Each structure stands twice: as C-alpha cells, then as structure tokens.
Amino acid sequence: MNISKNVLSQYISLSHDPIELRHLLDDVGIEVKRVRQESNDTIFGLELLANRGDHYCYQGIAREIHGRTGASLCGPQVETLTTGQSPLPLRLETEKCFTYTATLLTRHGDELSFPDAILAPLEAAGIHTISSAIDATNLSNIELGQPTHVFDADTIIGGITIRESREGERAWPLFTDNEIELPVGTMVIADDEKILAIAGVIGCEESKATQDSTRIILESASFDPVSVRIAARKLGIHTDSVARFERGSDPNYPLVGAGRVVHLLEKYAGFSREGTSGLVGEGVKPHAPIRLSYKRLIHFLGVELGPEEVEARLSRYGFELSPYRDGCWDVQIPSVRHWDISTEACLFEVMAISIGYNNTPISLPQIDMGAEPSLTENIQVQVEELFLSHGFYEVFTDGFYSRQDRARLSIEEDSPLFQHVETLNAIDRGYSLLKNNALVHALDAVVRNKNQGQQQIMMYEWTRCFQPDPNAENGVCRERKLLWAMANGRFLPSNWSDSGRLIDPLFFKGLVQELGILLRHKFRLTPLDPEEPLAELLHPGRSASIWLHNTRVGVLGEVHPNVRSRLKLKKNRPCYFEIELDALLQAPEGQRYTLPPIHQPLVRTLAFALPPRIEADAVGHLLGQEGASVSIVDEFCYEDSERMMRAITFELSYPNSNGNLSTETVNASLQTLIQLVETNLGEQGVHQR
C-alpha cells in the first residue's frame, strides 16, 4: 500500500522530516518497504500486517501514530446518514453478512470530477480515476478503510438480496471478458434476476455504474473476513476491497464509509440523496470487557507507568476503561480492533507499542538449572559436523509452495507427489500447498544460485514434509522429519593443479557410508525402488534407495535429465540426498568381539580384464558363488585393441575355521569360478589376465 506524507498530514500533526516519519512508522509496526521522493511530497510503500485491517487506510495509520505520540487527529468530513425506509427492498439470507446498507443518490446535470487535492490519496496509491461515483468509493476505502460499491440503480430488478450462491450459478465480474461459475456457498449480492456483486470481492459488469448513470445505489457493508478470503482465493480475484475485508473491517463503519461517499458526491459531483438509507443485519456483538491488571502490565513492560498514563495511552487507541479499582480495569475493545484484540496479552502488546519496544528494558528470564543436550540434539550436531567438513552449509526453506512449483516438475495426477495438504485461506497463493517433498525447494535453491552466477552449491537442511493420510492420528496427514542435502558443481580441489571433478551420486554414497560409521548403522544401498515417491524425479541409472535393516529410509541420486531441462539446468548435474530423521536416531548396532579362528582362511587372487560399461560388481557377484568372500584389491587401466580396459584384481577369502579346507579344493573352486565368469561375461569381452 502506498501513502502520501502530505495526505497523512491532513489526518494527524506530523514532523516535517520524512526520515523521522519513516522510523516512527517502522517502530509502531507499520513497516516501510520503499520511500519515493516527489517534487513536494514523499510516498511511502508499506508492508502491512495480515491481522491489522485497521492499518489499511489513512485514518488507521494516523490512529496508530496518535497512540504513540498523542498528536492531534483530524478525520475527513462525513455526512450523517439516517436509516429508515430503504430505497428498494433489502433481504439478508446469510449470517456471513453482519450489516448491509443501501443509499440512493441522483445526479443532476453533467458528470463532474473531483479537485486534484481530493484525488491525492488515489494518485499516491496508483489508483486511476474512473468516474466521480467510483472515485468516491475508492477514496472512502483508502481514507477510512471502509469498502463501498455503487450500482446503476436502473439495472436492478426488484430488490437486493444478500445470500449464498447456488449450484451452477454464474456471475460476470468487473474487468473480465466472460461469466464465471461460482463455487457453491459464495456470498453474493443479487437482485431478482442476476448477481450484482460477489460480496466483499468485486462488482459485476451487468450492474456497474458508469459516467452515464444518473441514479446509483450506494452499498456499504460489513462481511465475515474468512468468507471473503475464501471466495477471493477460490476465484483468484484480489482487489483493494478484499485486502481490507479479509483482514477484518470495522463492523460499525458501513454508514460512516457511506457517509464519506455521500459527502464527496453531494459537495463536488452534483449528486443528492433520495430518502433514507436502508439497513439490514444486526451487526457484530461486541467483545466482553477484558480485565487488565496494572501489576501484570508493569511487570510485563518493565517500565514504571502510573495508572493515569496507562489510561491516557489506551484511550488514544479508542479503548474505554472502567474506573481504576483493586489494581484493575475493565477494558472495552473499540470496534475497529474487534478482530485482533481478545486477551489481556493483546493489551500488553498495545501498551508496548505505545511506549516503544526500544524504550523497554532488555532482560533475560531467570534460569535455575541447565539441561544436557538431548539424544536428537547430539546426533544432529554430529551429522552437521560431518556435512560441514565436506563444505556444506545449512539453509532454511519454506514449509509451503504453490501449484506452479508442482507444474514445473510435470507431476501428474497419478503421481504419489501430486496429493498435498492445501491451505484454503493462504494469504499468498504462491504458498498454498504444504510441501510433501523437499526436492522442490532444493531445486529452487539451485536455480536461484545459478541465476546469480553461483555454480558451486552444497547445502543441507533439517525439515519436515507432510503426506496426506486420512488415517493419520490428526486425520489429515503424516509428518516426516528428514535431513536433505543438495550438491552441484565440483569437488573441492585436492591440490593447486587439480580443478576438482564433477560431483556425482558416488559422492553421496560415500557420505552414507560415513554416516553409518559415525552412527554405527549398517546402511545399505540398492537400485532405486520404483515405489519411492521421488523416483520419477531422479535419474533411473544414477540413483539408489537407502535401507536400514529391512526399511527404506532414504534416497540419493542425480536429478532426472527431464527435470533439469524443464528448469533450464542442462549444463548442471545436481545430486540430491535425503534420509529419515528416525533412521539417524535409531540405537546404534552393538559391537561384539569374537575370537579369531585358529586356522586362517585361504586367500587367493584373480584378475580379470573388463571392457567399458562392465561393472566390477557383475564379476564379483559370480565369484562369490563358491562360498568365498570377495573384495577388490587393485585396479589397472590399459589400452587394448584401441579401447581402454580395466584389469580388476579380486581377492577371494575361503573360510577355514576347522582346518579341513585343502589347497586342491580351493584351486578346483577357482577353476570353476573362472569358467563361470567367462561363460556368463566372455561374450562381452571379460577374460582372465
């Protein structure tokens, strides 16, 4: 939201120094993101809190400054509207609307525009002028925080009904080309034949007021914030009206906001009221008074304030306090703070803002006794030290992402990664899906670093993912705690002349082995399990599942080429790793000492030549079929017939615990194994050396 310093000064006495005003706004909780200096004015770009709908207008910002400084307030001129006979029948059929008012105005003569000084708030906010009637509603919105809307009275058939939409019902929102179907239960404003507006969100084309409209119906209402937010998110429509209603507008302000519009139109635009204003709805029941303890307040603030000063400061925000008695007040909440004040602690916060957090003492709570690190904390420290020693750094990502992120990875509906826990009232639609995997954010981090020219990426995070599961204890999802890491680029060079080779999945395989040694777990790797949810996003030939005992506890591998292509990472080969926290926390496997046998095993070595693309493990698997344990003890690369070959030396250890194994038996076994290897792999070029 953009506001003008010159306009704000019409509501409250201000310092002439924009820098001081910026610091003051930041200090009272109205964050200034940008400052733009114009010829004779300063424009502040504000980032406002999600629960403070009262801040979304000049009057609300002025009230917040008044609460801190006590500077004099001055609001805009408002006509007092009398309620009585409605200009047309009003029917309220939903509890989601608290109050609805309708006022008829008639224009005499040609369309007139407002003076530039009146339109200054719209210019600062970047809102274009359209017509006097619409400009007046926009001004009421930004000045007082009360959204209003005008209909062309001659387009309304019968009366106005505030109700919920029905199955298959359609509406034609302003500034769109076609009608849209409304979700059932959406609050609407309708006449006897059509929908006039989506309540709190946007008006409709068929009833809009134009410069040619001579009779207009001015609506001003108070709606349930949650209902407006849900409707706007489902329809994908965000307007200034939504921004205020979804955060909670003042339930007592519909007639005040309408009175501001009437004043502007009657004074400057040639309109006049016809009869009284119609009103339906019982409004919002005020909160019961909150008991405020003076002793607890002073203890919380750590600042000595007299009861009189407490009363004066709270009164500046609009709170009404009963006479001070027995160390307490009963505080009545003003309607403008109906949605964010509900407990005594809220009043503590108001007082802290009033005196300034920088003016409260800094102190730490008393600690009587320390505590040793938990098992989880100790293991996390050990694991982090391992990752840090390899050059990783810790990152922190969001717990949410958007449907767009899911689409970027081409995750189809039949994929196990498609289903998510979704927040229907997310403030930002880009963060509406609770993440069910960590790879999305890991890849996003790689893309962001690449776009900044950073190719060497090694990061890790402790995080949580959420798998939809109606059978879970909470009835919604299972929560997975895990450690993930992403690496891209080259290994750190081992010497000055070594540029380092590209990181590949074998790097994470080594890390898994180190983790196993560190935590005394026997992790094992197998080809990537097709049931693994991330299988479709990892390279099928360069990935693996991580197992502990008989449970799959993690995955590692290179990101699938198709995924890299979609993310424009064709020249990068990021590798990903994740493991369940529960696996890391399992009790270490005990170490038992066994006496070595009296008779040593019989050891033999065999060397085989392997052409490219033949893995040594294929030979080792065959050599182990005679009961010997097999290990690789040497590798030699050479050129044979214009192609590179590898000579792999295998060591075979035959157990001989009782001393009965003879050399002849072992030699016969070796001949059998040599023939077995050459029979199975000879046609592929494998032979004994």
Side-chain angles (χ1 to χ4, degrees):
M1 174 180 171
N2 292 335
I3 65 167
S4 157
K5 178 179 179 295
N6 289 347
V7 174
L8 185 60
S9 64
Q10 300 172 17
Y11 290 77
I12 189 167
S13 300
L14 295 174
S15 164
H16 295 292
D17 187 351
I19 296 178
E20 290 183 14
L21 178 57
R22 173 175 188 162
H23 291 327
L24 176 60
L25 290 172
D26 283 333
D27 202 34
V28 299
I30 301 175
E31 184 180 0
V32 179
K33 302 292 285 188
R34 298 168 300 277
V35 178
R36 183 176 78 250
Q37 192 66 44
E38 296 189 348
S39 57
N40 60 347
D41 197 4
T42 303
I43 306 300
F44 296 99
L46 307 181
E47 184 75 23
L48 301 174
L49 297 173
N51 69 329
R52 293 299 302 273
D54 59 305
H55 282 174
Y56 278 72
C57 61
Y58 281 94
Q59 182 169 268
I61 295 170
R63 186 187 302 110
E64 207 66 37
I65 296 173
H66 174 67
R68 166 66 68 84
T69 66
S72 57
L73 287 171
C74 180
Q77 288 185 279
V78 174
E79 293 296 327
T80 301
L81 301 184
T82 304
T83 60
Q85 180 67 38
S86 177
L88 71 176
L90 297 181
R91 293 180 294 273
L92 180 58
E93 298 179 357
T94 173
E95 295 180 352
K96 297 177 182 178
C97 175
F98 306 130
T99 303
Y100 187 91
T101 71
T103 304
L104 175 64
L105 294 102
T106 301
R107 191 185 75 205
H108 308 283
D110 296 332
E111 169 85 7
L112 301 175
S113 59
F114 294 122
D116 291 343
I118 297 296
L119 295 174
L122 301 185
E123 182 180 355
I127 300 174
H128 299 293
T129 60
I130 300 175
S131 67
S132 57
I134 296 174
D135 293 344
T137 62
N138 288 334
L139 284 167
S140 173
N141 197 353
I142 200 169
E143 291 174 339
L144 302 178
Q146 174 58 44
T148 58
H149 185 70
V150 288
F151 303 115
D152 187 324
D154 294 330
T155 65
I156 299 176
I157 309 300
I160 291 179
T161 303
I162 306 93
R163 57 175 175 83
E164 296 177 18
S165 61
R166 308 180 183 106
E167 182 73 32
E169 200 161 19
R170 304 178 68 84
W172 186 2
L174 289 170
F175 318 118
T176 61
D177 296 329
N178 301 296
E179 289 185 342
I180 60 173
E181 185 170 336
L182 299 179
V184 176
T186 302
M187 184 167 39
V188 297
I189 314 300
D191 65 12
D192 293 352
E193 295 185 356
K194 61 184 176 297
I195 293 178
L196 306 175
I198 301 166
V201 179
I202 196 169
C204 291
E205 286 283 344
E206 296 166 300
S207 59
K208 68 179 180 182
T210 67
Q211 292 182 343
D212 297 327
S213 301
T214 57
R215 297 174 65 250
I216 60 174
I217 292 292
L218 167 65
E219 75 161 12
S220 185
S222 174
F223 300 116
D224 172 54
V226 175
S227 299
V228 173
R229 184 182 303 121
I230 291 174
R233 296 303 183 270
K234 285 184 176 180
L235 297 171
I237 299 175
H238 188 80
T239 61
D240 290 337
S241 175
V242 171
R244 288 163 177 83
F245 274 131
E246 71 177 358
R247 290 165 173 82
S249 62
D250 187 334
N252 289 344
Y253 247 50
L255 283 175
V256 178
R260 176 57 177 167
V261 175
V262 169
H263 171 80
L264 292 170
L265 293 179
E266 289 187 334
K267 183 172 182 179
Y268 299 104
F271 281 86
S272 62
R273 276 170 288 173
E274 300 292 337
T276 57
S277 299
L279 182 149
V280 290
E282 299 179 357
V284 175
K285 184 179 179 181
H287 289 299
I290 297 174
R291 177 61 58 93
L292 175 62
S293 165
Y294 174 71
K295 181 178 180 180
R296 286 195 296 268
L297 174 64
I298 299 305
H299 176 74
F300 174 83
L301 297 175
V303 177
E304 289 298 329
L305 300 174
E308 297 80 7
E309 185 173 356
V310 173
E311 294 175 0
R313 288 183 176 275
L314 287 177
S315 297
R316 293 205 292 259
Y317 290 98
F319 296 94
E320 297 180 5
L321 286 75
S322 67
Y324 182 59
R325 184 177 297 111
D326 298 329
C328 294
W329 296 273
D330 288 326
V331 182
Q332 186 64 54
I333 311 303
S335 59
V336 72
R337 301 296 298 274
H338 177 85
W339 304 106
D340 73 296
I341 299 290
S342 58
T343 65
E344 184 184 44
C346 299
L347 298 176
F348 291 173
E349 181 185 16
V350 172
M351 283 298 302
I353 293 174
S354 176
I355 64 176
Y357 283 105
N358 292 332
N359 297 323
T360 58
I362 299 175
S363 61
L364 295 175
Q366 181 179 353
I367 301 176
D368 297 327
M369 182 171 54
E372 293 184 354
S374 65
L375 171 65
T376 302
E377 291 169 335
N378 282 328
I379 288 179
Q380 286 184 327
V381 168
Q382 293 179 64
V383 173
E384 286 182 354
E385 288 179 350
L386 172 62
F387 275 81
L388 292 172
S389 70
H390 283 281
F392 285 85
Y393 51 89
E394 187 174 12
V395 297
F396 300 93
T397 62
D398 293 303
F400 299 83
Y401 48 72
S402 69
R403 293 185 183 86
Q404 182 180 0
D405 292 314
R406 184 172 62 187
R408 288 169 66 197
L409 300 181
S410 292
I411 296 174
E412 304 295 339
E413 291 190 21
D414 58 350
S415 167
L417 296 179
F418 187 82
Q419 298 300 325
H420 287 77
V421 177
E422 183 173 1
T423 55
L424 298 179
N425 60 344
I427 295 174
D428 187 343
R429 295 185 68 203
Y431 296 89
S432 60
L433 302 182
L434 229 64
K435 67 180 180 184
N436 64 12
N437 74 91
L439 183 55
V440 171
H441 286 317
L443 287 170
D444 183 59
V446 173
V447 172
R448 289 173 181 265
N449 278 273
K450 170 183 169 292
N451 292 340
Q452 294 296 322
Q454 178 65 36
Q455 301 294 334
Q456 187 70 22
I457 303 166
M458 300 184 75
M459 55 191 171
Y460 74 92
E461 181 188 28
W462 302 97
T463 190
R464 304 179 185 211
C465 293
F466 304 88
Q467 305 290 342
D469 184 359
N471 298 320
E473 184 177 350
N474 60 15
V476 178
C477 64
R478 290 181 294 106
E479 182 177 329
R480 294 175 53 231
K481 299 179 181 179
L482 55 87
L483 166 70
W484 67 264
M486 178 70 89
N488 183 61
R490 296 182 178 272
F491 289 106
L492 296 177
S494 57
N495 55 57
W496 290 107
S497 62
D498 182 13
S499 62
R501 67 181 179 85
L502 287 174
I503 291 173
D504 56 25
L506 293 177
F507 171 66
F508 277 125
K509 178 182 178 181
L511 267 180
V512 172
Q513 293 174 338
E514 289 190 59
L515 276 174
I517 295 171
L518 178 68
L519 303 176
R520 289 191 290 165
H521 291 328
K522 292 182 180 179
F523 294 117
R524 61 186 177 90
L525 301 181
T526 64
L528 186 63
D529 190 334
E531 298 299 320
E532 165 63 47
L534 292 177
E536 61 183 296
L537 303 180
L538 298 177
H539 194 302
R542 299 173 63 83
S543 53
S545 294
I546 306 171
W547 295 77
L548 181 60
H549 307 306
N550 294 319
T551 305
R552 189 176 69 231
V553 297
V555 65
L556 64 85
E558 184 180 294
V559 175
H560 199 290
N562 292 340
V563 176
R564 301 200 311 265
S565 176
R566 285 192 290 270
L567 298 178
K568 299 182 179 179
L569 294 172
K570 295 181 180 179
K571 296 183 179 181
N572 296 263
R573 291 180 173 237
C575 295
Y576 178 75
F577 156 85
E578 76 174 33
I579 193 167
E580 303 277 352
L581 176 60
D582 289 342
L584 302 177
L585 297 179
Q586 286 192 27
E589 300 178 23
Q591 295 180 338
R592 295 188 300 174
Y593 177 76
T594 57
L595 289 171
I598 297 175
H599 302 282
Q600 295 299 310
L602 298 184
V603 178
R604 298 289 186 271
T605 58
L606 289 175
F608 288 89
L610 276 67
R613 299 185 181 276
I614 299 297
E615 297 183 356
D617 187 57
V619 178
H621 174 72
L622 295 173
L623 295 178
Q625 295 190 15
E626 286 286 310
S629 61
V630 183
S631 60
I632 297 174
V633 295
D634 188 37
E635 177 186 22
F636 172 70
C637 297
Y638 66 97
E639 188 171 341
D640 180 23
S641 300
E642 298 183 353
R643 67 172 178 175
M644 293 301 299
M645 299 284 287
R646 293 177 298 149
I648 306 295
T649 301
F650 298 89
E651 182 180 88
L652 287 76
S653 179
Y654 288 84
N656 187 26
S657 58
N658 54 16
N660 295 330
L661 186 64
S662 66
T663 300
E664 291 77 9
T665 303
V666 170
N667 291 339
S669 173
L670 292 178
Q671 292 301 319
T672 301
L673 293 173
I674 293 170
Q675 185 177 0
L676 181 64
V677 171
E678 293 184 343
T679 300
N680 286 274
L681 301 174
E683 292 184 357
Q684 301 181 46
V686 177
H687 60 273
Q688 185 186 11
R689 279 180 59 87

